[in-house]
Amino acid sequence: MFTLTINQTDSRRDGDRVPQLLKDLRHIPARLDFDRSVEDEVQGIVDCPGQAVEAALVALRSGQWYVGIGVGPVNEPLPNQIKDASGHGLIYARRAVDRLRNSKERVPVAVEGPLADIAHDAEAVLRLLGHIVRDRSGAEWRVLDLLTPGVRGQQKAVAQELGITTQAVSKAVARAQWNEEHAARPAAARLLALILEVR
């Protein structure tokens, strides 16, 4: 399983952003739903590495969260609430987010698991993806939020909805490296999965 511990970088300055993050994460199927664990922290457990990548990038988008991913087992049966969960996956996720608090990483995402070298590789790919996601402008996000990966012929409809040209949509997609991001996501997911598979 993949546990995410997501901690707000500066709640004193930015106020409580947990409700907005929970809203942003609600579309991701979770084994144990994302919820506030303590104060300015959110945790959740997912079965699929692709869901872990998606959740990490959702949090990294705003630039206001440390994202720790722990790869490892969680004690079953799972409780009803994340704050009552236990197991190695949660310990790894806590270790990852604690490491970020003491670092100066520009893209604050960390991965911990039983195979440190593969976790390090997964972390490196996630940092590159996070860099792409964090550097997008509001105008680019207005376009991208209306697109579905892998579906052809969407740009004309998005242009009409936003009242801009198809060429402007195309330029926003290219500038935002949207296709490159979605092409690289499976690599990050595959590396996360390898941490579980190789023992």
Side-chain angles (χ1 to χ4, degrees), residues 95-191:
R95 190 183 300 168
V97 87
D98 286 347
R99 178 161 53 89
L100 289 169
R101 281 200 205 99
N102 299 317
S103 75
K104 300 286 186 202
E105 292 296 341
R106 184 163 178 261
V107 181
V109 60
V111 179
E112 294 277 345
L115 295 170
D117 56 339
I118 299 176
H120 182 266
D121 292 347
E123 185 177 297
V125 175
L126 284 166
R127 286 221 169 111
L128 287 172
L129 287 169
H131 179 74
I132 289 171
V133 166
R134 283 178 55 146
D135 281 1
R136 289 174 179 154
S137 68
E140 289 165 351
W141 276 116
R142 280 190 290 283
V143 169
L144 301 183
D145 283 340
L146 296 173
L147 294 171
T148 304
V151 177
R152 297 182 63 80
Q154 302 175 82
Q155 293 189 6
K156 186 175 180 182
V158 169
Q160 288 174 339
E161 184 163 339
L162 294 175
I164 59 178
T165 66
T166 306
Q167 184 181 20
V169 171
S170 180
K171 284 183 178 178
V173 168
R175 217 175 25 249
Q177 296 181 292
W178 191 72
N179 292 319
E180 292 82 355
E181 174 208 334
H182 285 279
R185 280 183 180 215
R190 194 166 295 121
L191 286 165

